[in-house]
Amino acid sequence: MSTEKCTKRECNESTENVKKRQRTDQRHLAALVLARGGSKGIPLKNIKSLAGIPLIGWVLRAAIDSGTFDSVWVSTDHDEIEKVAKRFGARVHRRSAEVSVDTCSSLATIQEFLRRNEDQGIDVVANIQATSPCLHPFHIQEAMRKITEGGCDSVFAVVRRHQFRWKEVKNEGEITEPFNLDPLNRPRRQDWDGELIENGSFYIAKSDMILKGYLQGGKRAYYEMGPEYSVDIDVDIDWPVAEQRVLRYGYFGSNSEKVKLLICNIDGCLTNGQVFLQEKNESHSFNARDMIGLANLKKNGVEVLLISALDLHNNQLLANKAVCELKQNVSNKLDFVETWLKEKQLSWQEVAYFGCYEYDIQCLRNAGLSGAPKDAAALSCETVTFTSKSPGGCGALQEFADYILLVNEKCASSHDK
């Protein structure tokens, strides 16, 4: 697996930043994620935050980091989805109204994409489902090799299920019948291979076949994914289950460096904007959850630097209690952080930055990991990868701290392999 990374700075500067793939042939291989804005089950489901990351971001990150494609696209009819797609490094195809209705098939939408982008010379399309957040680069790489090296015309994802199926009874007096078992000889699970079921994670096919009306045709092959990676989200009840699954089995990016330093802007991230006025003093409150997050980072070897544009005694009390370094009166965040990193001999790739205002944006774009509270300035939220469920000063930092530790854990395990 490639360890190169498409940084957020590059993603914001260009929508055509897919890593150059190692070619085994000269065909143009494209990934396409269909993400219309009219989902009725979960409104704007494709960009709803799942474990801090927009849902579509999980599969776009896997597709780009696979190093398999010449281009990665999102087909959408919605402005907000377009913004998120570009933030994660994808190109955008603005689909027509005709293929943006509930009754339109995925096949028709992909056909329109190919016809309207005929000048791109796309030979193979991997239609990746936005609602499959546990997709990893290795799944894509192995499946695509069945096309590029195995001579297949189409490949689709399946999962092995051990479930007995019965005929539905629709009329009174009708008796149900089994589809895939003998009731007199019910097999034990360990004695039965089960059945291969489409899990919808992806459908890969040659463009000429798609234009003829086939997503699965010609020399077909399936790619079997483990059940732990086979997650789908259709209705609200699926969401908490998917969130727990993605935290354990999701792909957290190709970071080759562990986060060694968190830089957190106190203003708006550790405070909620409330000021308590007394006769002679004013005071600010800090959330105990955020203090726990800071302690967990330090316990796991991540240094913490707190910064503020203000000079407040309460900030110093916070830093003393959390045993963190503090720098106040920091007006130019970018210049200060770059000087600090040189002194500490750290790279931006080893830094996680948590900010919420527009003056944090350059630091957010440069950092290896970036996060913002739920109520951060709109431009900050559009810049970062991770957005907390909680607003600033209400546990947002603890959520980001947990995410940092998960990324470091995944990074360490990948280095051990």
Side-chain angles (χ1 to χ4, degrees):
M1 183 185 302
S2 171
T3 57
E4 295 179 47
K5 184 183 179 185
C6 167
T7 67
K8 286 182 290 301
R9 176 191 286 179
E10 292 168 341
C11 289
N12 279 277
E13 290 174 351
S14 171
T15 62
E16 300 184 44
N17 62 339
V18 179
K19 294 182 296 183
K20 193 70 174 178
R21 71 179 177 93
Q22 298 296 315
R23 289 182 175 273
T24 56
D25 57 44
Q26 295 302 309
R27 289 180 290 183
H28 184 133
L29 311 181
L32 176 65
V33 181
L34 307 182
R36 68 185 184 91
S39 173
K40 292 183 178 178
I42 305 176
L44 284 181
K45 170 177 65 177
N46 294 309
I47 56 173
K48 183 179 176 180
S49 178
L50 180 75
I53 309 295
L55 177 59
I56 197 173
W58 290 99
V59 296
L60 288 177
R61 186 160 55 186
I64 289 172
D65 284 357
S66 73
T68 300
F69 301 107
D70 297 289
S71 59
V72 174
W73 300 74
V74 170
S75 169
T76 188
D77 60 336
H78 198 279
D79 292 343
E80 292 303 314
I81 295 176
E82 177 174 354
K83 289 179 183 178
V84 173
K86 289 181 176 179
R87 191 201 323 166
F88 278 85
R91 300 173 67 175
V92 173
H93 165 71
R94 289 298 296 228
R95 62 169 71 180
S96 68
E98 289 75 20
V99 297
S100 298
V101 295
D102 291 340
T103 54
C104 185
S105 68
S106 296
L107 176 62
T109 309
I110 301 169
Q111 288 174 331
E112 181 196 78
F113 163 76
L114 285 171
R115 292 187 181 109
R116 292 196 174 188
N117 293 280
E118 189 176 1
D119 61 320
Q120 299 292 322
I122 297 170
D123 300 294
V124 177
V125 176
N127 172 215
I128 298 175
Q129 184 168 265
T131 54
S132 298
C134 287
L135 184 70
H136 280 245
F138 76 86
H139 295 135
I140 296 168
Q141 292 163 346
E142 292 172 2
M144 285 300 297
R145 279 198 285 271
K146 293 178 180 287
I147 298 281
T148 59
E149 300 175 17
C152 290
D153 299 307
S154 60
V155 179
F156 53 95
V158 300
V159 64
R160 191 174 298 274
R161 299 294 189 198
H162 294 76
Q163 296 170 327
F164 296 131
R165 296 181 292 110
W166 291 77
K167 178 184 175 183
E168 181 182 359
V169 173
K170 296 184 177 181
N171 300 311
E172 187 176 349
E174 206 177 334
I175 298 176
T176 186
E177 297 291 342
F179 279 134
N180 62 346
L181 81 152
D182 176 0
L184 294 177
N185 296 284
R186 292 175 62 92
R188 299 184 306 163
R189 179 185 176 88
Q190 57 267 42
D191 296 330
W192 182 41
D193 289 337
E195 296 179 324
L196 296 178
I197 309 295
E198 289 183 22
N199 71 0
S201 289
F202 55 78
Y203 297 86
I204 308 170
K206 293 180 179 178
S207 299
D208 57 351
M209 294 191 59
I210 294 173
L211 291 171
K212 292 175 183 176
Y214 297 96
L215 274 178
Q216 298 160 295
K219 182 181 178 182
R220 292 185 295 263
Y222 61 80
Y223 176 79
E224 184 175 348
M225 294 176 62
E228 66 272 27
Y229 302 113
S230 296
V231 179
D232 195 13
I233 304 171
D234 287 320
V235 293
D236 277 331
I237 197 171
D238 297 329
W239 206 267
V241 175
E243 193 157 65
Q244 290 302 311
R245 188 79 69 85
V246 79
L247 287 172
R248 182 169 182 181
Y249 298 111
Y251 172 67
F252 282 75
S254 59
N255 297 55
S256 58
E257 300 290 342
K258 293 178 64 176
V259 173
K260 296 180 181 178
L261 171 68
L262 165 67
I263 301 175
C264 177
N265 183 4
I266 293 177
D267 312 322
C269 292
L270 288 176
T271 60
N272 61 8
Q274 290 183 317
V275 177
F276 300 93
L277 295 176
Q278 301 173 355
E279 187 174 345
K280 295 183 179 180
N281 302 302
E282 69 177 44
S283 62
H284 300 78
S285 65
F286 299 100
N287 194 285
R289 289 173 55 199
D290 291 329
M291 301 297 288
I292 292 171
L294 293 172
N296 286 340
L297 287 173
K298 292 178 65 62
K299 179 181 177 181
N300 286 276
V302 179
E303 294 184 45
V304 177
L305 170 63
L306 304 178
I307 60 176
S308 175
L310 308 174
D311 188 353
L312 300 175
H313 179 62
N314 288 330
N315 287 347
Q316 189 62 61
L317 292 177
L318 167 67
N320 292 343
K321 184 172 180 61
V323 195
C324 299
E325 293 200 58
L326 169 69
K327 295 295 179 180
Q328 303 201 82
N329 285 322
V330 180
S331 56
N332 189 318
K333 300 290 192 294
L334 181 62
D335 287 350
F336 170 79
V337 172
E338 289 190 332
T339 300
W340 182 271
L341 295 183
K342 287 179 182 177
E343 292 176 1
K344 295 291 185 178
Q345 297 184 325
L346 291 173
S347 68
W348 276 106
Q349 196 65 29
E350 298 169 298
V351 173
Y353 191 97
F354 199 55
C356 67
Y357 295 121
E358 291 191 8
Y359 56 66
D360 290 310
I361 287 174
Q362 286 303 319
C363 292
L364 291 168
R365 287 177 175 170
N366 289 346
L369 287 181
S370 63
K374 174 184 178 180
D375 58 343
L379 195 53
S380 296
C381 289
E382 291 173 7
T383 300
V384 300
T385 298
F386 179 93
T387 305
S388 67
K389 294 180 180 178
S390 304
C394 299
L397 187 276
Q398 184 192 39
E399 292 180 38
F400 189 49
D402 290 345
Y403 182 76
I404 291 169
L405 295 178
L406 271 172
V407 170
N408 278 358
E409 180 184 335
K410 302 284 184 179
C411 182
S413 63
S414 67
H415 287 175
D416 292 339
K417 290 181 181 178

